[in-house]
Amino acid sequence: MNTFTKIIATSILTLSSIGMANAATEYVAADDYVTSKLCVVATEGSKMRLSQAIEKTGLTKRFVVENITCNNQNLITFVEQHGTNVDNINNYLTAGKYSSNVEVTIVASN
């Protein structure tokens, strides 16, 4: 390969990797409801921002977890499927009672 071809190939690879890095999903609240904003903040993965957002609403964490739905899913499930830093966010919301480990038990009957 000559030098010019190497330069072009390197440039293309660099530019395509920059595009892929910026292609991360971004969630935007569809309305101005407080609950929609909490859903978006929860997916971003920052416990501090989520804590501040919940405090700003005047709601309790427990109320938020038990009553807020995001796209017809409870908040914990929504964060599991769409969020970043899932374990830390859900542990924060559930006071450390969250576990991403799923155990399947098969029961056979005769």
XYZ file of all heavy atoms in Angstrom:
831
model
N 0.837 -1.181 0.000
C 0.000 0.000 0.000
C 0.882 1.244 0.000
O 1.829 1.315 0.748
C -0.854 0.016 1.259
C -2.258 -0.353 0.957
S -3.277 -0.468 2.272
C -4.017 0.171 3.211
N 0.478 2.180 -0.781
C 1.278 3.386 -0.770
C 0.838 4.331 0.358
O -0.190 4.123 1.003
C 1.247 4.081 -2.141
C -0.138 4.553 -2.510
O -0.945 4.815 -1.653
N -0.397 4.664 -3.804
N 1.601 5.346 0.592
C 1.372 6.264 1.705
C 0.027 6.972 1.588
O -0.682 7.131 2.574
C 2.509 7.310 1.759
O 3.745 6.619 1.825
C 2.364 8.203 2.949
N -0.347 7.378 0.397
C -1.612 8.085 0.204
C -2.804 7.209 0.600
O -3.728 7.660 1.267
C -1.739 8.539 -1.259
C -3.005 9.304 -1.530
C -3.174 10.597 -1.043
C -4.027 8.734 -2.256
C -4.334 11.292 -1.288
C -5.193 9.419 -2.504
C -5.358 10.713 -2.017
N -2.781 5.945 0.218
C -3.860 5.017 0.564
C -3.938 4.812 2.072
O -5.023 4.760 2.645
C -3.643 3.665 -0.146
O -3.488 3.898 -1.541
C -4.805 2.738 0.090
N -2.804 4.723 2.720
C -2.776 4.573 4.176
C -3.370 5.791 4.859
O -4.129 5.683 5.827
C -1.347 4.346 4.669
C -0.780 3.000 4.326
C 0.635 2.870 4.830
C 1.252 1.554 4.403
N 2.645 1.446 4.844
N -3.057 6.964 4.371
C -3.592 8.197 4.961
C -5.103 8.256 4.801
O -5.828 8.575 5.730
C -2.910 9.440 4.334
C -1.450 9.501 4.758
C -3.647 10.721 4.738
C -0.630 10.560 4.036
N -5.589 7.917 3.632
C -7.040 7.923 3.380
C -7.735 6.893 4.261
O -8.762 7.182 4.876
C -7.332 7.636 1.881
C -6.797 8.759 1.000
C -8.824 7.440 1.641
C -7.456 10.101 1.208
N -7.203 5.694 4.364
C -7.812 4.644 5.194
C -7.842 5.050 6.653
O -8.845 4.863 7.350
C -7.054 3.340 5.013
N -6.762 5.622 7.144
C -6.704 6.066 8.533
C -7.710 7.179 8.786
O -8.392 7.193 9.812
C -5.278 6.551 8.885
O -4.365 5.494 8.612
C -5.174 6.959 10.326
N -7.833 8.095 7.855
C -8.783 9.207 8.001
C -10.213 8.695 8.060
O -11.014 9.134 8.881
C -8.627 10.189 6.844
O -7.353 10.762 6.838
N -10.542 7.772 7.185
C -11.899 7.210 7.158
C -12.206 6.479 8.457
O -13.281 6.646 9.033
C -12.081 6.290 5.932
C -12.077 7.136 4.659
C -13.355 5.473 6.038
C -12.044 6.332 3.372
N -11.279 5.678 8.934
C -11.498 4.957 10.190
C -11.663 5.920 11.356
O -12.517 5.727 12.221
C -10.350 3.985 10.462
C -10.306 2.752 9.582
C -9.017 1.972 9.826
C -11.510 1.882 9.834
N -10.877 6.952 11.401
C -10.963 7.926 12.490
C -12.300 8.649 12.470
O -12.965 8.773 13.497
C -9.809 8.953 12.382
O -8.576 8.252 12.414
C -9.870 9.958 13.498
N -12.704 9.115 11.301
C -13.967 9.845 11.196
C -15.170 8.950 11.491
O -16.128 9.390 12.116
C -14.092 10.480 9.816
C -13.111 11.618 9.534
C -13.237 12.076 8.088
C -13.329 12.773 10.496
N -15.134 7.707 11.061
C -16.261 6.810 11.334
C -16.348 6.460 12.808
O -17.440 6.317 13.361
C -16.170 5.547 10.487
O -15.041 4.783 10.848
N -15.215 6.332 13.503
C -15.264 6.028 14.932
C -15.781 7.213 15.725
O -16.468 7.045 16.736
C -13.895 5.592 15.452
O -12.969 6.655 15.376
N -15.498 8.426 15.287
C -16.044 9.617 15.960
C -17.557 9.642 15.810
O -18.280 9.930 16.755
C -15.413 10.900 15.375
C -13.950 10.997 15.779
C -16.166 12.137 15.843
C -13.179 12.098 15.081
N -18.049 9.308 14.648
C -19.490 9.275 14.423
C -20.187 8.240 15.272
O -21.267 8.484 15.808
N -19.580 7.082 15.439
C -20.182 6.034 16.266
C -20.183 6.426 17.733
O -21.115 6.106 18.463
C -19.455 4.711 16.075
C -19.735 4.062 14.746
S -19.003 2.431 14.595
C -17.304 2.850 14.284
N -19.168 7.114 18.188
C -19.107 7.526 19.586
C -20.191 8.543 19.909
O -20.720 8.578 21.022
C -17.733 8.114 19.899
N -20.562 9.356 18.950
C -21.588 10.378 19.175
C -22.994 9.858 18.915
O -23.954 10.594 19.067
C -21.323 11.590 18.283
C -20.114 12.351 18.740
O -19.806 12.376 19.917
N -19.433 12.979 17.796
N -23.142 8.606 18.540
C -24.436 8.051 18.186
C -25.178 7.470 19.389
O -26.141 6.751 19.219
C -24.273 6.979 17.119
N -24.771 7.762 20.597
C -25.435 7.237 21.782
C -26.872 7.753 21.855
O -27.168 8.872 21.453
C -24.672 7.663 23.034
N -27.755 6.923 22.361
C -29.157 7.285 22.481
C -29.317 8.391 23.520
O -28.768 8.313 24.611
C -29.987 6.065 22.904
O -29.787 5.039 21.942
C -31.454 6.399 22.991
N -30.091 9.380 23.151
C -30.371 10.474 24.072
C -31.870 10.527 24.284
O -32.644 10.555 23.332
C -29.885 11.799 23.481
C -30.091 12.970 24.394
C -29.569 14.263 23.797
O -28.626 14.211 23.003
O -30.129 15.305 24.128
N -32.289 10.523 25.539
C -33.702 10.575 25.863
C -34.104 12.004 26.157
O -33.386 12.741 26.831
C -34.020 9.676 27.066
C -33.881 8.219 26.711
C -32.695 7.544 26.931
C -34.920 7.541 26.113
C -32.552 6.221 26.566
C -34.796 6.220 25.741
C -33.610 5.564 25.973
O -33.471 4.254 25.604
N -35.262 12.390 25.642
C -35.784 13.731 25.841
C -37.218 13.587 26.319
O -37.990 12.800 25.762
C -35.747 14.528 24.516
C -36.325 15.912 24.708
C -34.336 14.588 23.967
N -37.572 14.345 27.353
C -38.940 14.298 27.876
C -39.906 14.779 26.794
O -39.677 15.805 26.153
C -39.051 15.160 29.121
N -40.984 14.032 26.603
C -41.957 14.377 25.568
C -42.873 15.522 26.001
O -43.551 16.118 25.176
C -42.794 13.149 25.219
N -42.883 15.822 27.283
C -43.727 16.893 27.797
C -43.031 17.550 28.973
O -41.893 17.217 29.286
C -45.097 16.342 28.201
C -44.997 15.117 29.091
O -44.119 15.092 29.986
O -45.781 14.173 28.897
N -43.706 18.468 29.621
C -43.104 19.191 30.746
C -43.469 18.594 32.101
O -43.271 19.234 33.128
C -43.508 20.669 30.710
C -42.741 21.430 29.654
O -41.624 20.990 29.306
O -43.244 22.458 29.165
N -44.017 17.403 32.123
C -44.368 16.778 33.391
C -43.108 16.454 34.195
O -42.090 16.049 33.634
C -45.172 15.487 33.183
C -46.558 15.715 32.638
C -46.971 15.066 31.493
C -47.447 16.571 33.275
C -48.243 15.264 30.987
C -48.726 16.775 32.769
C -49.119 16.123 31.622
O -50.362 16.328 31.134
N -43.211 16.600 35.476
C -42.095 16.300 36.374
C -41.692 14.841 36.240
O -40.507 14.517 36.228
C -42.496 16.630 37.833
C -41.469 16.124 38.808
C -42.717 18.117 37.988
N -42.661 13.976 36.105
C -42.363 12.545 36.011
C -41.567 12.216 34.753
O -40.666 11.386 34.788
C -43.655 11.718 36.056
O -44.541 12.167 35.022
C -44.349 11.853 37.395
N -41.870 12.855 33.650
C -41.127 12.620 32.411
C -39.680 13.055 32.575
O -38.758 12.378 32.124
C -41.755 13.385 31.249
O -43.060 12.926 31.009
N -39.482 14.169 33.234
C -38.127 14.666 33.462
C -37.342 13.716 34.365
O -36.157 13.480 34.154
C -38.169 16.070 34.049
C -38.700 17.090 33.058
C -38.807 18.465 33.676
C -39.424 19.438 32.684
N -39.598 20.773 33.250
N -38.012 13.142 35.372
C -37.348 12.177 36.250
C -36.931 10.929 35.472
O -35.854 10.375 35.718
C -38.244 11.804 37.429
C -38.407 12.856 38.514
C -39.406 12.400 39.561
C -37.079 13.191 39.158
N -37.763 10.491 34.554
C -37.415 9.328 33.734
C -36.145 9.593 32.935
O -35.253 8.750 32.869
C -38.562 8.981 32.787
S -40.044 8.356 33.610
N -36.065 10.766 32.348
C -34.896 11.113 31.543
C -33.651 11.194 32.419
O -32.603 10.631 32.086
C -35.125 12.447 30.792
C -33.842 12.932 30.143
C -36.219 12.293 29.755
N -33.747 11.860 33.554
C -32.594 11.998 34.452
C -32.139 10.626 34.951
O -30.945 10.365 35.057
C -32.920 12.943 35.631
C -31.814 12.932 36.670
C -33.150 14.355 35.129
N -33.080 9.739 35.232
C -32.727 8.407 35.730
C -31.929 7.611 34.704
O -31.040 6.848 35.073
C -33.985 7.641 36.130
N -32.200 7.793 33.429
C -31.468 7.042 32.402
C -30.060 7.562 32.183
O -29.221 6.861 31.631
C -32.193 7.066 31.038
O -32.287 8.409 30.570
C -33.556 6.426 31.131
N -29.778 8.774 32.631
C -28.465 9.375 32.388
C -27.356 8.788 33.255
O -26.186 8.933 32.932
C -28.540 10.890 32.590
C -29.410 11.561 31.532
C -29.651 13.025 31.808
O -29.277 13.521 32.901
O -30.221 13.690 30.937
N -27.704 8.164 34.375
C -26.714 7.444 35.158
C -26.033 8.218 36.275
O -25.090 7.720 36.864
N -26.486 9.424 36.585
C -25.875 10.207 37.656
C -26.772 10.194 38.893
O -27.872 10.761 38.879
C -25.641 11.645 37.201
O -25.248 12.456 38.283
N -26.279 9.530 39.956
C -27.067 9.488 41.199
C -27.277 10.887 41.756
O -28.341 11.190 42.280
C -26.381 8.617 42.247
C -26.423 7.151 41.955
C -26.000 6.294 43.129
C -24.668 6.642 43.701
N -24.216 5.705 44.734
N -26.257 11.733 41.665
C -26.364 13.072 42.213
C -27.435 13.885 41.471
O -28.270 14.528 42.104
C -25.023 13.803 42.129
C -25.037 15.173 42.778
S -23.426 15.951 42.904
C -22.983 16.161 41.200
N -27.444 13.821 40.151
C -28.458 14.557 39.389
C -29.849 13.998 39.652
O -30.811 14.758 39.754
C -28.146 14.509 37.899
C -26.924 15.361 37.560
C -26.795 15.712 36.118
N -27.952 16.454 35.662
C -28.522 16.261 34.475
N -28.060 15.370 33.652
N -29.579 16.966 34.124
N -29.963 12.687 39.790
C -31.262 12.088 40.077
C -31.737 12.482 41.464
O -32.900 12.848 41.652
C -31.198 10.566 39.946
C -32.503 9.813 40.211
C -33.617 10.287 39.282
C -32.281 8.316 40.060
N -30.838 12.456 42.436
C -31.183 12.861 43.793
C -31.661 14.307 43.827
O -32.673 14.624 44.462
C -29.969 12.685 44.707
O -30.244 13.186 45.989
N -30.957 15.173 43.131
C -31.347 16.585 43.078
C -32.695 16.764 42.386
O -33.525 17.565 42.816
C -30.277 17.408 42.361
C -28.991 17.526 43.133
C -27.859 18.135 42.308
O -27.924 18.208 41.085
N -26.800 18.544 42.998
N -32.925 16.006 41.322
C -34.194 16.102 40.593
C -35.362 15.640 41.455
O -36.424 16.271 41.460
C -34.119 15.292 39.304
N -35.171 14.545 42.196
C -36.235 14.052 43.072
C -36.502 15.055 44.182
O -37.650 15.367 44.492
C -35.876 12.657 43.637
C -35.899 11.618 42.519
C -36.838 12.261 44.758
C -35.373 10.249 42.932
N -35.434 15.574 44.766
C -35.582 16.559 45.842
C -36.308 17.803 45.344
O -37.163 18.357 46.038
C -34.202 16.943 46.372
C -34.238 17.834 47.586
C -32.844 18.096 48.125
O -32.072 17.136 48.288
O -32.541 19.283 48.355
N -36.014 18.228 44.136
C -36.637 19.421 43.558
C -38.145 19.238 43.374
O -38.900 20.189 43.480
C -35.967 19.738 42.220
C -36.403 21.026 41.595
C -35.606 21.286 40.319
C -36.055 22.572 39.652
N -35.299 22.822 38.412
N -38.578 17.996 43.114
C -40.006 17.740 42.918
C -40.784 17.744 44.222
O -41.993 17.916 44.222
C -40.246 16.376 42.242
O -39.823 15.331 43.122
C -39.560 16.282 40.910
N -40.090 17.511 45.334
C -40.772 17.412 46.615
C -41.328 16.024 46.886
O -42.001 15.799 47.882
N -41.052 15.085 45.995
C -41.514 13.712 46.163
C -40.454 12.913 46.910
O -39.297 13.296 46.958
C -41.775 13.071 44.797
C -42.782 13.774 43.894
C -42.794 13.129 42.517
C -44.166 13.761 44.507
N -40.859 11.784 47.456
C -39.892 10.897 48.101
C -39.420 9.857 47.091
O -40.103 9.574 46.098
C -40.517 10.160 49.301
O -41.566 9.306 48.822
C -41.061 11.144 50.337
N -38.243 9.276 47.355
C -37.736 8.209 46.481
C -38.735 7.062 46.421
O -38.984 6.509 45.354
C -36.397 7.675 46.996
C -35.209 8.343 46.462
C -33.931 7.570 46.710
C -33.715 7.249 48.160
N -32.413 6.614 48.414
N -39.285 6.722 47.563
C -40.228 5.604 47.606
C -41.441 5.870 46.721
O -41.877 5.009 45.966
C -40.659 5.345 49.046
C -41.570 4.166 49.167
C -41.894 3.860 50.599
N -42.804 2.733 50.659
C -43.203 2.177 51.767
N -42.772 2.615 52.927
N -44.019 1.158 51.735
N -41.976 7.088 46.800
C -43.120 7.441 45.964
C -42.735 7.363 44.489
O -43.490 6.843 43.670
C -43.627 8.849 46.295
C -44.831 9.239 45.489
C -46.093 8.899 45.908
C -44.678 9.926 44.290
C -47.210 9.238 45.156
C -45.769 10.274 43.528
C -47.045 9.931 43.954
N -41.571 7.879 44.160
C -41.102 7.864 42.772
C -41.009 6.434 42.256
O -41.507 6.114 41.176
C -39.742 8.596 42.653
C -39.099 8.352 41.306
C -39.914 10.092 42.909
N -40.391 5.554 43.035
C -40.214 4.161 42.611
C -41.555 3.443 42.480
O -41.780 2.687 41.534
C -39.295 3.410 43.597
C -39.287 1.919 43.324
C -37.887 3.974 43.525
N -42.458 3.680 43.405
C -43.714 2.932 43.419
C -44.776 3.492 42.480
O -45.700 2.768 42.105
C -44.275 2.894 44.846
C -43.432 2.056 45.784
C -43.936 2.060 47.218
O -44.911 2.777 47.518
O -43.339 1.349 48.035
N -44.670 4.752 42.074
C -45.772 5.358 41.337
C -45.444 5.922 39.961
O -46.349 6.147 39.172
C -46.392 6.477 42.181
C -47.006 5.931 43.441
O -47.992 5.219 43.405
N -46.393 6.225 44.573
N -44.206 6.165 39.678
C -43.869 6.753 38.382
C -43.639 5.664 37.352
O -42.938 4.690 37.603
C -42.632 7.663 38.498
C -43.006 8.906 39.297
C -42.088 8.038 37.136
C -41.911 9.906 39.454
N -44.241 5.852 36.184
C -44.002 4.944 35.069
C -43.399 5.734 33.913
O -43.716 6.903 33.703
C -45.302 4.259 34.590
O -46.251 5.251 34.205
C -45.885 3.368 35.670
N -42.534 5.070 33.193
C -41.864 5.656 32.036
C -42.154 4.753 30.849
O -41.769 3.582 30.864
C -40.359 5.737 32.268
S -39.881 6.527 33.814
N -42.847 5.274 29.853
C -43.238 4.472 28.684
C -43.947 3.181 29.112
O -43.642 2.094 28.641
C -42.030 4.136 27.804
C -41.453 5.362 27.135
O -42.062 6.425 27.147
N -40.278 5.217 26.565
N -44.858 3.317 30.035
C -45.667 2.208 30.557
C -44.852 1.137 31.272
O -45.251 -0.015 31.338
C -46.513 1.569 29.448
C -47.538 2.534 28.907
O -48.141 3.296 29.657
N -47.723 2.527 27.606
N -43.693 1.495 31.805
C -42.868 0.585 32.604
C -42.577 1.277 33.925
O -42.469 2.507 33.980
C -41.535 0.297 31.920
C -41.637 -0.403 30.601
C -40.268 -0.563 29.957
O -39.428 0.305 30.058
N -40.061 -1.694 29.299
N -42.415 0.471 34.982
C -42.012 1.110 36.221
C -40.602 1.651 36.051
O -39.869 1.256 35.147
C -42.152 0.171 37.435
C -41.167 -0.965 37.415
O -39.973 -0.785 37.163
N -41.657 -2.170 37.684
N -40.220 2.584 36.890
C -38.952 3.290 36.735
C -37.747 2.349 36.768
O -36.813 2.497 35.978
C -38.818 4.369 37.820
C -37.601 5.267 37.735
C -37.551 6.001 36.408
C -37.598 6.260 38.879
N -37.762 1.360 37.656
C -36.636 0.428 37.776
C -36.438 -0.340 36.468
O -35.321 -0.443 35.958
C -36.858 -0.561 38.948
C -37.058 0.185 40.273
C -35.735 -1.576 39.037
C -35.891 1.008 40.718
N -37.502 -0.858 35.907
C -37.432 -1.607 34.648
C -36.981 -0.706 33.497
O -36.170 -1.104 32.663
C -38.795 -2.244 34.316
O -39.193 -3.064 35.413
C -38.734 -3.074 33.050
N -37.494 0.514 33.476
C -37.123 1.463 32.434
C -35.622 1.754 32.474
O -34.953 1.757 31.445
C -37.929 2.752 32.589
C -37.710 3.739 31.479
C -38.284 3.541 30.238
C -36.945 4.876 31.682
C -38.085 4.449 29.203
C -36.742 5.789 30.668
C -37.316 5.575 29.421
N -35.096 1.965 33.665
C -33.661 2.222 33.806
C -32.861 0.989 33.401
O -31.821 1.103 32.749
C -33.313 2.670 35.238
C -31.812 2.713 35.467
C -33.924 4.033 35.535
N -33.334 -0.211 33.760
C -32.643 -1.447 33.368
C -32.503 -1.542 31.854
O -31.478 -1.959 31.344
C -33.414 -2.677 33.854
C -33.244 -2.992 35.297
C -34.080 -4.188 35.729
O -34.929 -4.675 34.943
O -33.896 -4.639 36.858
N -33.549 -1.181 31.134
C -33.544 -1.357 29.691
C -32.892 -0.209 28.930
O -32.345 -0.412 27.857
C -34.967 -1.554 29.186
C -35.560 -2.866 29.638
C -36.966 -3.067 29.121
O -37.518 -2.225 28.430
N -37.561 -4.190 29.479
N -32.956 1.012 29.481
C -32.533 2.169 28.697
C -31.457 3.019 29.355
O -30.951 3.942 28.732
C -33.737 3.062 28.398
C -34.867 2.351 27.747
N -34.841 1.946 26.432
C -36.061 1.938 28.238
C -35.974 1.332 26.138
N -36.728 1.308 27.212
N -31.122 2.731 30.594
C -30.226 3.608 31.323
C -28.760 3.241 31.240
O -28.381 2.199 30.733
N -27.963 4.148 31.774
C -26.551 3.882 31.960
C -26.299 3.864 33.459
O -27.074 4.450 34.227
C -25.668 4.969 31.308
O -26.028 6.241 31.847
C -25.854 5.003 29.806
N -25.249 3.159 33.875
C -24.937 3.040 35.299
C -26.136 2.423 36.047
O -26.515 2.867 37.129
C -24.577 4.419 35.869
C -23.809 4.337 37.148
O -23.319 3.289 37.541
N -23.714 5.468 37.824
N -26.714 1.409 35.451
C -27.978 0.813 35.906
C -27.925 0.340 37.357
O -28.807 0.669 38.150
C -28.394 -0.354 34.977
C -29.599 -1.088 35.515
C -28.651 0.165 33.580
N -26.912 -0.437 37.706
C -26.855 -0.980 39.066
C -26.813 0.128 40.119
O -27.525 0.069 41.117
C -25.643 -1.900 39.237
C -25.812 -3.225 38.501
O -26.967 -3.623 38.256
O -24.795 -3.852 38.186
N -25.996 1.144 39.898
C -25.894 2.228 40.883
C -27.183 3.031 40.990
O -27.614 3.384 42.092
C -24.727 3.157 40.553
C -23.399 2.528 40.861
O -23.296 1.649 41.711
N -22.366 2.958 40.169
N -27.809 3.332 39.869
C -29.061 4.103 39.903
C -30.155 3.306 40.597
O -30.852 3.815 41.473
C -29.499 4.510 38.475
C -28.504 5.491 37.869
C -30.907 5.093 38.465
C -28.393 6.814 38.593
N -30.319 2.041 40.219
C -31.389 1.247 40.817
C -31.100 0.911 42.277
O -32.019 0.799 43.078
C -31.673 0.006 39.985
C -32.475 0.352 38.744
O -33.072 1.429 38.655
N -32.502 -0.542 37.785
N -29.838 0.745 42.654
C -29.521 0.569 44.074
C -29.857 1.827 44.854
O -30.327 1.755 45.987
C -28.049 0.197 44.272
C -27.827 -1.281 44.177
O -28.643 -2.078 44.624
N -26.721 -1.662 43.569
N -29.609 2.984 44.268
C -29.971 4.246 44.923
C -31.484 4.341 45.107
O -31.966 4.671 46.186
C -29.467 5.433 44.089
C -30.069 6.741 44.506
C -29.687 7.361 45.695
C -31.054 7.349 43.740
C -30.264 8.556 46.099
C -31.626 8.531 44.131
C -31.227 9.135 45.302
O -31.821 10.308 45.706
N -32.230 4.009 44.062
C -33.688 4.119 44.130
C -34.314 3.114 45.096
O -35.329 3.398 45.722
C -34.296 3.938 42.731
C -34.052 5.071 41.749
C -34.487 4.662 40.344
C -34.789 6.330 42.191
N -33.714 1.939 45.214
C -34.297 0.886 46.052
C -33.589 0.733 47.387
O -33.779 -0.272 48.072
C -34.259 -0.465 45.317
O -32.897 -0.803 45.053
C -35.063 -0.424 44.030
N -32.772 1.708 47.746
C -32.021 1.688 49.013
C -31.176 0.416 49.141
O -31.140 -0.230 50.181
C -32.964 1.844 50.197
N -30.508 0.039 48.052
C -29.600 -1.100 48.070
C -30.254 -2.456 47.921
O -29.594 -3.473 48.052
N -31.536 -2.503 47.629
C -32.235 -3.785 47.515
C -32.342 -4.274 46.076
O -32.996 -5.256 45.793
C -33.640 -3.663 48.109
C -33.616 -3.351 49.583
C -34.999 -3.157 50.130
C -34.914 -2.752 51.591
N -36.191 -2.335 52.118
N -31.683 -3.590 45.161
C -31.748 -3.957 43.750
C -30.700 -5.014 43.436
O -29.582 -4.945 43.906
C -31.513 -2.728 42.872
C -31.341 -3.046 41.413
C -32.435 -3.345 40.628
C -30.086 -3.062 40.824
C -32.286 -3.649 39.296
C -29.929 -3.356 39.485
C -31.039 -3.649 38.731
O -30.890 -3.956 37.405
N -31.077 -5.965 42.618
C -30.122 -6.953 42.140
C -30.423 -7.218 40.680
O -31.560 -7.496 40.308
C -30.241 -8.251 42.929
O -29.405 -9.223 42.356
N -29.395 -7.123 39.859
C -29.589 -7.387 38.436
C -29.486 -8.877 38.127
O -29.720 -9.288 37.010
C -28.572 -6.614 37.604
O -27.271 -7.006 37.964
N -29.139 -9.672 39.123
C -29.044 -11.117 38.918
C -30.437 -11.718 38.896
O -31.233 -11.497 39.794
C -28.234 -11.778 40.033
C -26.809 -11.302 40.051
O -26.255 -10.956 39.020
N -26.215 -11.255 41.228
N -30.706 -12.478 37.882
C -31.996 -13.141 37.758
C -31.784 -14.629 37.952
O -30.912 -15.225 37.319
C -32.623 -12.882 36.369
C -33.925 -13.632 36.213
C -32.820 -11.392 36.145
N -32.558 -15.212 38.821
C -32.442 -16.641 39.074
C -33.689 -17.330 38.557
O -34.796 -16.957 38.898
C -32.281 -16.897 40.580
C -32.011 -18.331 40.907
C -31.758 -18.523 42.396
O -31.014 -17.710 42.968
O -32.323 -19.472 42.951
N -33.491 -18.318 37.725
C -34.596 -19.057 37.137
C -34.638 -20.431 37.790
O -33.646 -21.138 37.840
C -34.432 -19.207 35.618
C -35.556 -20.041 35.043
C -34.357 -17.846 34.974
N -35.802 -20.790 38.302
C -35.984 -22.096 38.909
C -36.976 -22.884 38.072
O -38.078 -22.417 37.792
C -36.522 -21.973 40.350
O -35.641 -21.130 41.077
C -36.639 -23.314 41.006
N -36.589 -24.057 37.650
C -37.465 -24.899 36.845
C -38.071 -25.949 37.771
O -37.363 -26.673 38.461
C -36.682 -25.572 35.702
C -36.084 -24.505 34.802
C -37.584 -26.527 34.928
C -35.155 -25.043 33.743
N -39.368 -25.969 37.790
C -40.093 -26.918 38.623
C -40.787 -27.913 37.693
O -41.585 -27.532 36.857
C -41.128 -26.208 39.529
C -41.890 -27.210 40.347
C -40.442 -25.166 40.381
N -40.480 -29.172 37.866
C -41.095 -30.204 37.024
C -42.190 -30.883 37.833
O -42.077 -31.124 39.020
C -40.043 -31.244 36.629
N -43.268 -31.136 37.164
C -44.368 -31.837 37.822
C -44.676 -33.130 37.079
O -44.475 -33.230 35.869
C -45.620 -30.963 37.881
O -46.058 -30.671 36.574
N -45.141 -34.097 37.821
C -45.464 -35.402 37.200
C -46.912 -35.489 36.902
O -47.783 -35.084 37.462
C -45.046 -36.546 38.116
C -43.531 -36.656 38.191
O -42.857 -36.267 37.250
N -43.040 -37.144 39.291
